[in-house]
Amino acid sequence: MNTLVALCPVGAEKILGNEIKHLGYKLAGNAPGRVIFEGDNDAMFRSNLCLRTADRVFLQMAKYMAQDFDQLFEGVYNIPWQDFFKKDSKITVDKVRCYRSKLNSEHAIQSIVQKAIYQKLTERFHMSSMPETGEESTVRVYMDQDEALILLDLSGLPLHKRGYRVDGGIAPLRETVAAVLLQEMMWRRKTPLHDPFCGSGTIPIEAALYAYNVAPGFGRRFALENLPFYNQKRAEEIRKAEAEKIRPDVEVRITGSDISSEAVERAKKNAEYACVMAGRALQSIGSDAKIIRPDFIQADFVELSAPYETGLILCNPPYGERIGDEEQAAELYKGMDELWKSFKGWEFGIITSHKEFQENFGHYANLLKDIKAGNLDTTLYMYTNSTVAPKNNGGNQKKFGNKKGEKNGRGNNSKERKVRF
């Protein structure tokens, strides 16, 4: 049995834990941005292939107390690294994180850990030095209250890099964060979904992969595949088993729009690549079925009208740190009241780092969720049909309430044409 550590956006630990349990693996703890679980050898590949909300997956190599550098060195040296690396491997200690520990120099810890790994390998392989001509492997270290956690990266590139995005455009939302938003909103494939600020199409594409039950990792490789214990035959069996679970026959209504025609073209291309990725997975099991990509149109959000009585608006509108400045973002949020009016009866999920979003929007969410999106501290504002009284630091929120006398901030947009998609 292996102990694995999956990283995720801070605030998404519960969502990721539920995903891991759904795969059939046992949770063993968590920390901010990390979920620990136990799994067999298959779990190392399958978790990378299937987890939608994980940023990386690591194999836990050791966990022990280290209050000085001698203890740190000895603990790393005692790990049987010769079973995990090849003779030509290049090993990098890519990150060190310290919290309330006597050892708190990240550079010194990095140096000691790498020295211990190389000393063990050169002794076991009977070499004077490592040639470092092969594939690079990375190790990560967490020092938490004098306890050392040594991890081996099984993912390689971050898992949000699914392999289908040809162009992200300006400040794209990470695919893993989009997957978190869908789970937080408890979206189901039968519910119509629209993103009025689709950008490169991340939210609609991730929704489509989820709706059709397409594993997000079909279009890429993982660092695990460069390690000596990797079982290629078993990995292919797992891929085919997951391909069998794809459901191309389900009916979904997923759409996106953007004021930028260039963004819409990017979204279409990315969606096409994602559907090709799914198609190749189906071909591997002898199926010629196809996945239908989401529909994207060029339109300002004030031009839209709801094509169904109910559904979900899920979006990542521009905000100060991403695009433009705070004042421009505030004006855009005021104008989003038109979207609220046009999609009456729909639920809304809106992620932003703008602290005064609700005041500008003129509507108060009944649920809020803080999520670390990249380097930004963002909040998901959830306007749902729940009857639970909303809370925040200022007390109860108004539920779906307009501010009286609030202007929409975008002129006579209510008189503009409406586009149905």
Side-chain angles (χ1 to χ4, degrees), residues 9 46 68 134 177 234 257 339 400 416:
R46 190 161 173 251
D68 57 43
V177 175
R234 182 59 189 146
S257 60
L339 192 65
F400 306 131
E416 295 183 17

Side-chain angles (χ1 to χ4, degrees), residues 6-258:
L7 303 189
C8 65
V10 174
E13 297 84 4
K14 185 176 180 180
I15 295 292
L16 175 56
N18 288 337
E19 264 204 284
I20 291 168
K21 287 191 291 184
H22 183 71
L23 288 180
Y25 303 124
K26 182 181 178 181
L27 299 183
N30 64 64
R34 307 200 304 266
V35 178
I36 302 122
F37 63 104
E38 296 178 351
D40 55 15
N41 289 340
D42 285 354
M44 290 189 281
F45 184 81
R46 190 161 173 251
S47 59
N48 275 287
L49 179 68
C50 298
L51 291 176
R52 301 180 190 279
T53 60
D55 288 320
R56 288 183 185 273
V57 177
F58 294 91
L59 177 63
Q60 181 176 303
M61 305 301 294
K63 187 177 182 180
Y64 59 97
M65 298 302 295
Q67 296 183 330
D68 57 43
F69 286 116
D70 287 339
Q71 291 176 337
L72 178 64
F73 182 94
E74 183 178 359
V76 175
Y77 179 84
N78 287 335
I79 298 169
W81 295 107
Q82 67 276 8
D83 297 335
F84 297 89
F85 295 127
K86 299 175 183 178
K87 291 184 177 181
D88 62 351
S89 294
K90 178 181 180 181
I91 298 102
T92 301
V93 181
D94 70 331
K95 287 185 180 179
V96 174
R97 294 287 182 264
C98 302
Y99 176 72
R100 293 184 179 180
S101 296
K102 293 179 181 178
L103 300 181
N104 56 22
S105 169
E106 294 180 6
H107 179 74
I109 293 170
Q110 199 171 22
S111 178
I112 290 294
V113 170
Q114 186 145 7
K115 180 180 178 181
I117 295 172
Y118 272 48
Q119 183 168 324
K120 182 62 169 284
L121 289 175
T122 53
E123 289 179 4
R124 290 297 183 270
F125 292 151
H126 306 289
M127 299 186 298
S128 59
S129 64
M130 292 289 290
E132 297 187 330
T133 55
E135 297 286 349
E136 182 177 17
S137 294
T138 58
V139 172
R140 188 166 295 190
V141 182
Y142 288 90
M143 293 296 307
D144 190 346
Q145 300 183 73
D146 294 329
E147 186 174 60
L149 180 62
I150 313 298
L151 304 175
L152 173 62
D153 182 17
L154 301 178
S155 300
L157 291 174
L159 293 177
H160 76 265
K161 296 187 176 183
R162 311 292 205 207
Y164 62 72
R165 182 182 284 178
V166 292
D167 185 0
I170 301 172
L173 183 72
R174 286 186 178 181
E175 289 82 347
T176 46
V177 175
V180 169
L181 302 185
L182 290 162
Q183 293 299 317
E184 289 288 355
M185 295 302 301
M186 293 188 289
W187 178 73
R188 297 295 179 263
R189 63 171 63 90
K190 292 182 179 180
T191 303
L193 180 145
H194 183 73
D195 180 359
F197 305 95
C198 69
S200 59
T202 305
I203 290 175
I205 295 170
E206 286 297 312
L209 295 182
Y210 174 70
Y212 291 115
N213 205 32
V214 179
F218 273 128
R220 54 164 290 167
R221 289 172 52 82
F222 309 106
L224 169 65
E225 298 177 52
N226 299 322
L227 301 175
F229 59 88
Y230 170 65
N231 186 333
Q232 184 174 354
K233 180 180 178 182
R234 182 59 189 146
E236 288 303 315
E237 291 172 351
I238 294 171
R239 281 185 180 273
K240 289 181 178 180
E242 294 303 323
E244 293 279 0
K245 298 176 184 177
I246 298 175
R247 300 185 58 187
D249 57 326
V250 299
E251 181 179 350
V252 297
R253 292 166 289 183
I254 301 170
T255 52
S257 60
D258 201 285

Side-chain angles (χ1 to χ4, degrees), residues 218-322:
F218 273 128
R220 54 164 290 167
R221 289 172 52 82
F222 309 106
L224 169 65
E225 298 177 52
N226 299 322
L227 301 175
F229 59 88
Y230 170 65
N231 186 333
Q232 184 174 354
K233 180 180 178 182
R234 182 59 189 146
E236 288 303 315
E237 291 172 351
I238 294 171
R239 281 185 180 273
K240 289 181 178 180
E242 294 303 323
E244 293 279 0
K245 298 176 184 177
I246 298 175
R247 300 185 58 187
D249 57 326
V250 299
E251 181 179 350
V252 297
R253 292 166 289 183
I254 301 170
T255 52
S257 60
D258 201 285
I259 194 172
S260 166
S261 58
E262 290 84 2
V264 170
E265 288 305 310
R266 280 196 299 270
K268 288 180 178 178
K269 288 181 181 178
N270 291 336
E272 192 63 33
Y273 273 91
C275 291
V276 168
M277 175 187 79
R280 288 173 178 166
L282 287 166
Q283 288 174 5
S284 72
I285 57 171
S287 172
D288 59 358
K290 304 293 182 184
I291 297 299
I292 300 174
R293 70 167 174 79
D295 288 329
F296 296 97
I297 61 169
Q298 188 273 321
D300 192 345
F301 66 87
V302 298
E303 301 173 337
L304 302 173
S305 65
Y308 309 102
E309 290 186 2
T310 60
L312 171 64
I313 292 287
L314 185 58
C315 61
N316 176 40
Y319 40 88
E321 291 89 342
R322 291 178 59 233

